[in-house]
Amino acid sequence: MNKCFLAVLAYMLPTFPLGFFWHLTIFADYYQSLHVYRDDVIIPFGIASMLIQGVIWSIVYERLFAGESIVKGALKFAALACPLAWSFMVLAVSAKHIMSSVSGYLAIETAFVLLHYAVVSPLIAAVYARKG
């Protein structure tokens, strides 16, 4: 299989359940109390977003970090991806949406971004560290 395709899968397969359970199950009541998310979440938009991100991150990883060890590549990728993702997933949302606690949203979404990239960074790195 094509490494780009595998890297997209390495991004998407953990991202959907992690995001779903984090936002809509485990911390659903907390997010509800923040009044930041709509009641009728549009799952296909989330999947489309994950697919776009997965493709772009795969291309970025291949061009910048391919050939690195899994650990070194994952750390470098996370150092790039986390701040960028945090800026559009946490800062931009905090700046635009009415919510009951900006600091609460900043804290819980920052934790999510860190967990998310702690999971997907080594998986993507493993795809590009493979020979062949």
Side-chain angles (χ1 to χ4, degrees):
M1 266 196 220
N2 178 317
K3 284 187 178 186
C4 184
F5 177 74
L6 290 175
V8 171
L9 288 179
Y11 183 84
M12 288 189 67
L13 291 178
T15 297
F16 182 77
L18 182 62
F20 182 87
F21 286 110
W22 182 281
H23 295 99
L24 304 177
T25 305
I26 299 167
F27 297 109
D29 292 339
Y30 185 68
Y31 282 104
Q32 184 72 21
S33 76
L34 291 173
H35 304 290
V36 68
Y37 291 137
R38 55 189 301 128
D39 291 331
D40 57 339
V41 176
I42 305 169
I43 299 291
F45 284 7
I47 292 171
S49 174
M50 286 178 246
L51 177 61
I52 292 165
Q53 290 169 36
V55 168
I56 291 170
W57 284 138
S58 174
I59 293 166
V60 167
Y61 193 97
E62 184 174 34
R63 292 188 180 187
L64 296 179
F65 309 118
E68 299 278 4
S69 70
I70 293 172
V71 172
K72 192 172 184 180
L75 290 172
K76 285 182 174 183
F77 175 73
L80 171 71
C82 273
L84 185 59
W86 186 77
S87 75
F88 64 77
M89 291 176 64
V90 181
L91 286 183
V93 171
S94 299
K96 296 183 283 188
H97 293 263
I98 296 170
M99 56 188 73
S100 62
S101 172
V102 172
S103 62
Y105 182 80
L106 286 169
I108 196 156
E109 278 299 286
T110 297
F112 175 75
V113 169
L114 292 173
L115 174 63
H116 178 228
Y117 284 95
V119 170
V120 301
S121 296
L123 294 174
I124 295 170
V127 168
Y128 286 106
R130 289 183 28 196
K131 301 292 182 213

